[in-house]
Amino acid sequence: MKTSKISMAAGIAALALATSACSVGGSPSAASTAGGTTKITVVVSPIVDAAPLYLGIEKGFFSKRGLDVKVALAPTPGARLPSLISGASQFGLIGTADILQGAAAGVPVRAVTTTTVTTSNPAEDTGKVYVAPGSSIAKPADLNGKTIGVGSLGGGGELSLRAALEKSGADTKQIKFLEVPLDSMLNAVKSGQVDAISSISPFTNAAESGGAQYLMSPGAIATSEAAQSTVVTTETFLKDNNAAAKSFIEGLNEGTAFAAANPQAVRDALPTFSKTPKEVAAVMQLPVFKADLNKDRIRIWSDLMIKYGFVKGEINLDTLVVPGG
């Protein structure tokens, strides 16, 4: 875990240094106009949380507001944040914990809305912990002295898992966290490489069909009602293109409301912009789609990040969180 955190922190620090040395977020012309239409690029990872963006484009929620919205793909926060800072993209959809790490390092991003929030219902949580079929591990405290496979180290998944384990009576100082590819988790726990896996939808479907035993839902325990995937832009873009920014946020929020009211539309769209097979999209657990950003939803994460040493010092939520632009 330490190596992952150090490398991530180094990357963010380098980004913050680059930010201070050049113009932030591109020029006001970053949202160029052609024939009265404003062009906006949004950098995302092609995951289900981005469905409101794709549905918004498909249903005309942006075009009716005079926007021509394009999608740029970047799989990691380490690629999405620089895209914003350089002005190549005007908005980004990023996990809240990753945004907070950037903000703590001085990267001048501004959070403006959400597409998904976490749930207090364990059954609806998109993240779940499993143990091997027939395992003697029956409760979180039984994981003391054991190894848990996680999709990535140093991010929101590990953070909520650590907090949930401690809330449930486990001692994370006695637990080893091992990074395991999501598509290899079932084999890892069945082979004994790890004693438990912390997986996310749709990979949870494979775990359950493979006989893995459900143990807990970390997000519902430790970070319920928090911002899950948050939309950010730069301070400069928000200042110099406020009307376009507000129009984009309104269009995306309409897409988020549509996704919440039409889960089948999300399932139909998901295979078109991600690698999720149709048969998996048809049954996988969908996140809670909700456009409802406020400081309390972000503070849930920031308090935990400070507590567990994922960031140093305080994060100014008054500056970071700008609901609606």
Side-chain angles (χ1 to χ4, degrees):
M1 187 187 79
K2 289 182 179 179
T3 300
S4 178
K5 284 185 182 178
I6 290 171
S7 60
M8 182 177 293
I12 291 174
L15 177 59
L17 183 61
T19 296
S20 65
C22 63
S23 176
V24 179
S27 69
S29 63
S32 60
T33 60
T37 299
T38 302
K39 295 182 179 181
I40 286 179
T41 299
V42 189
V43 62
V44 305
S45 176
I47 59 175
V48 66
D49 300 60
L53 174 64
Y54 288 93
L55 289 171
I57 294 171
E58 176 189 336
K59 301 298 180 182
F61 300 153
F62 299 114
S63 60
K64 73 179 182 181
R65 291 176 168 87
L67 303 177
D68 178 14
V69 174
K70 302 297 183 184
V71 178
L73 298 180
T76 67
R80 292 194 290 277
L81 283 173
S83 180
L84 283 174
I85 298 305
S86 69
S89 301
Q90 287 72 56
F91 290 89
L93 181 65
I94 305 176
T96 305
D98 299 307
I99 292 168
L100 288 167
Q101 287 177 323
V107 180
V109 291
R110 298 293 179 263
V112 293
T113 191
T114 57
T115 60
T116 58
V117 299
T118 57
T119 177
S120 59
N121 184 343
E124 294 179 353
D125 197 341
T126 53
K128 295 179 173 68
V129 175
Y130 299 91
V131 295
S135 172
S136 61
I137 298 171
K139 58 184 184 298
D142 294 337
L143 289 168
N144 290 348
K146 308 293 186 181
T147 300
I148 303 178
V150 297
S152 64
L153 295 169
E158 182 196 346
L159 180 63
S160 62
L161 176 59
R162 284 179 174 274
L165 286 168
E166 294 201 348
K167 279 192 172 185
S168 302
D171 181 1
T172 57
K173 293 179 181 178
Q174 298 184 43
I175 298 173
K176 180 180 178 181
F177 297 83
L178 180 68
E179 191 165 302
V180 177
L182 288 165
D183 58 2
S184 300
M185 282 195 169
L186 182 59
N187 287 336
V189 75
K190 279 189 168 183
S191 68
Q193 179 187 2
V194 296
D195 302 289
I197 52 173
S198 183
S199 189
I200 59 172
S201 181
F203 298 96
T204 49
N205 294 73
E208 291 168 4
S209 62
Q213 298 176 191
Y214 169 80
L215 186 67
M216 66 188 297
S217 299
I221 295 171
T223 56
S224 66
E225 308 304 323
Q228 182 164 297
S229 284
T230 299
V231 179
V232 292
T233 185
T234 62
E235 180 182 24
T236 298
F237 184 82
L238 199 58
K239 176 183 176 182
D240 295 339
N241 303 270
N242 194 251
K246 287 182 179 295
S247 293
F248 171 78
I249 295 164
E250 290 172 0
L252 182 58
N253 288 350
E254 187 173 358
T256 300
F258 182 85
N262 299 274
Q264 188 57 50
V266 175
R267 297 185 188 281
D268 291 342
L270 188 55
T272 68
F273 66 82
S274 76
K275 295 181 179 179
T276 307
K278 290 183 179 180
E279 59 273 19
V280 175
V283 298
M284 65 180 277
Q285 177 65 55
L286 297 180
V288 177
F289 292 104
K290 193 170 187 178
D292 184 18
L293 178 68
N294 58 60
K295 283 182 282 189
D296 288 339
R297 291 192 186 279
I298 302 291
R299 186 176 290 110
I300 293 170
W301 287 110
S302 62
D303 286 352
L304 288 176
M305 295 185 81
I306 292 170
K307 176 181 178 180
Y308 288 95
F310 280 52
V311 296
K312 301 295 184 183
E314 296 184 0
I315 299 168
N316 188 339
L317 297 185
D318 291 330
T319 299
L320 172 64
V321 182
V322 189

